[in-house]
Amino acid sequence: AFTHTARYDDAISDYFRGQFSRGVSQLPLRYGMNPAPGPRPESTPWAPPPAPHSWFLLCSPVVNGAPGFINLCDALNAWQLVRELEGHAGAVPDRMSSFGDFVALSDVCDVPTARIISREWDACFPAGQYEGFSLAKLTLTLSVSDGIIAPGYEEEALKILSKKKGGKYCVLQMDPEYEPDEPEVRVLFGLHLKQKRNGALVDKELFTNVVSKGTLSEDALRDLIVATIAVKYTQSNSVCYARDGQVIGIGAGQQSRIHCTRLAGDKADNWWLRRHPRVLGMKFRTGGPDREAWEAMFEEVPALLTAAEKQQWVASLQGVALSSDAFFPFRDNVDRARRSGVSYIAAPSGSTADEVVIKACNEQGITLVHTALRLFHH
């Protein structure tokens, strides 16, 4: 009886939100998980708290564009990620994340960042000058995004972003002081699932249980924190490689953990290949319009790396930290990780092959930490 009454109350309150609070505590979405005919889905809280703590006000007034279901999933995961990284010194200097098709910033979006996201090359880098821009921001010039979430925007930056995608680029503004309730509820095939939100703290104390030979340096701890926070908000199964305070490869959403390790390792290899002296030494022409021929972009056309040169350079990668959202069931993950320069691994224990994995780490010269913290995310 109480369940029936609660459903009735929810239906009535949802009706009145739609009638009198649309755009405040009820947000019509452009489409659901997949575009489909029929009424547009809506995003509402179970019970809208009083302003200024309504879900819509805090989980961002939509400053520009119209978000869809997946846009909000990406935006909120990305926001949690950069917010959690912000408190860790040396990790991701710009506290910027690209999650799915969304970019998240933990700081106010300034004009240079807006221009990079909007691909206004000439305004970003006059005469091809890249000095003064962080690697995190430069990486955005190679990516495509459907939207951005940040705690605020400079006036000119907002104008630049609002012109992107013909004015449809999704711009969300997040209140940095917002804290959600601990319980999370999901309805799946008519079944209401409720659990406590994953508020597990990822800090240095999580990595004290070293179960193999070796120790953790301060840089290793920093990178393990970055990698672990990344897998905390990434679709399981997931494995993350990090180095120099940044993520260099993620393998996510795979049915087999070795596939996650391979996928992330391949991305880490590519990240390292882009730092080959021959790549960094490319001499681009300065100024001028786009050329039809790729070679015309260079003062000196670079020679291609041979397969042997690539293999030799990838083998020189060392000091990479790896975090896994669950235990490694076999040693093949350790062996594959070592090929991409992994020197430190953090993963929960609990596998029947724990001792086998520890032995493999000792053989490969990898320091293994058992975290006792599983981080599945679905």
Side-chain angles (χ1 to χ4, degrees), residues 164-177:
K164 188 174 169 66
K165 295 201 169 195
K168 297 180 180 180
Y169 190 68
C170 188
V171 180
L172 307 179
Q173 184 169 326
M174 188 75 180
D175 184 342
E177 302 301 321

Side-chain angles (χ1 to χ4, degrees), residues 109-288:
C109 181
D110 56 20
V111 172
T113 302
R115 284 175 172 163
I116 292 170
I117 295 173
S118 295
R119 299 189 169 199
E120 294 184 1
W121 314 121
D122 294 339
C124 294
F125 312 115
Q129 298 302 310
Y130 293 84
E131 291 80 1
F133 289 86
S134 71
L135 183 61
K137 287 186 177 180
L138 290 177
T139 302
L140 280 179
T141 64
L142 303 176
S143 63
V144 177
S145 62
D146 284 337
I148 180 174
I149 184 169
Y153 301 86
E154 293 182 358
E155 184 177 354
E156 184 61 29
L158 182 57
K159 290 179 181 178
I160 293 170
L161 292 170
S162 297
K163 294 186 295 183
K164 188 174 169 66
K165 295 201 169 195
K168 297 180 180 180
Y169 190 68
C170 188
V171 180
L172 307 179
Q173 184 169 326
M174 188 75 180
D175 184 342
E177 302 301 321
Y178 172 68
E179 288 292 338
D181 294 335
E182 283 196 348
E184 285 189 332
V185 179
R186 178 181 298 185
V187 181
L188 185 63
F189 201 60
L191 181 66
H192 289 245
L193 305 174
K194 184 176 181 179
Q195 68 170 4
K196 184 178 178 181
R197 184 172 61 89
N198 186 1
L201 182 63
V202 178
D203 59 12
K204 292 182 179 180
E205 299 303 315
L206 184 63
F207 307 101
T208 56
N209 185 24
V210 178
V211 295
S212 68
K213 298 176 182 178
T215 58
L216 298 177
S217 64
E218 285 298 312
D219 286 348
L221 281 170
R222 174 203 60 200
D223 293 343
L224 285 174
I225 288 172
V226 170
T228 303
I229 291 175
V231 297
K232 182 179 177 181
Y233 299 107
T234 303
Q235 182 75 21
S236 297
N237 294 314
S238 62
V239 166
C240 178
Y241 291 52
R243 189 173 184 268
D244 299 335
Q246 62 182 305
V247 170
I248 64 173
I250 292 183
Q254 304 300 305
Q255 286 70 46
S256 174
R257 193 154 300 276
I258 183 58
H259 292 151
C260 298
T261 305
R262 289 171 182 164
L263 181 58
D266 290 345
K267 293 177 181 178
D269 292 347
N270 286 331
W271 174 86
W272 186 239
L273 283 168
R274 294 189 186 111
R275 281 144 186 83
H276 191 282
R278 197 179 300 171
V279 176
L280 297 179
M282 288 180 176
K283 298 178 181 179
F284 288 90
R285 295 182 184 272
T286 57

